[in-house]
Amino acid sequence: MRRHEFQPGRLIAGLVLLCAGVLYLLDNTGEADLPWFAVIPLTMGGLTLAALVGMVTYAVRRDRRDRISESSDR
């Protein structure tokens, strides 16, 4: 398998959705008593954080790519 670049935004989104799924599973089995509105802010906040991290990662990689192409043009 070819190596691919690390994408921290997708990692955060996956972990947040996994956490929300585990919380719902625990609630359905009776292990935890969560109100229905507890998981939604967690999920939305986590997805917002993932989007911000993804945008910052994209901006840093674009800047790095532009600096490399400028130095090779000279």
Side-chain angles (χ1 to χ4, degrees), residues 16-74:
V16 165
L17 292 176
L18 181 67
C19 179
V22 167
L23 287 175
Y24 270 123
L25 180 66
L26 288 174
D27 188 36
N28 282 337
T29 59
E31 297 292 324
D33 187 27
L34 296 171
W36 65 270
F37 55 86
V39 177
I40 294 175
L42 171 76
T43 304
M44 296 309 294
L47 291 177
T48 302
L49 177 66
L52 290 173
V53 168
M55 288 190 301
V56 168
T57 304
Y58 175 75
V60 167
R61 288 183 178 160
R62 185 183 62 199
D63 182 51
R64 189 176 298 164
R65 184 180 61 231
D66 290 346
R67 278 192 274 152
I68 290 171
S69 68
E70 283 178 6
S71 65
S72 67
D73 289 343
R74 291 180 185 183

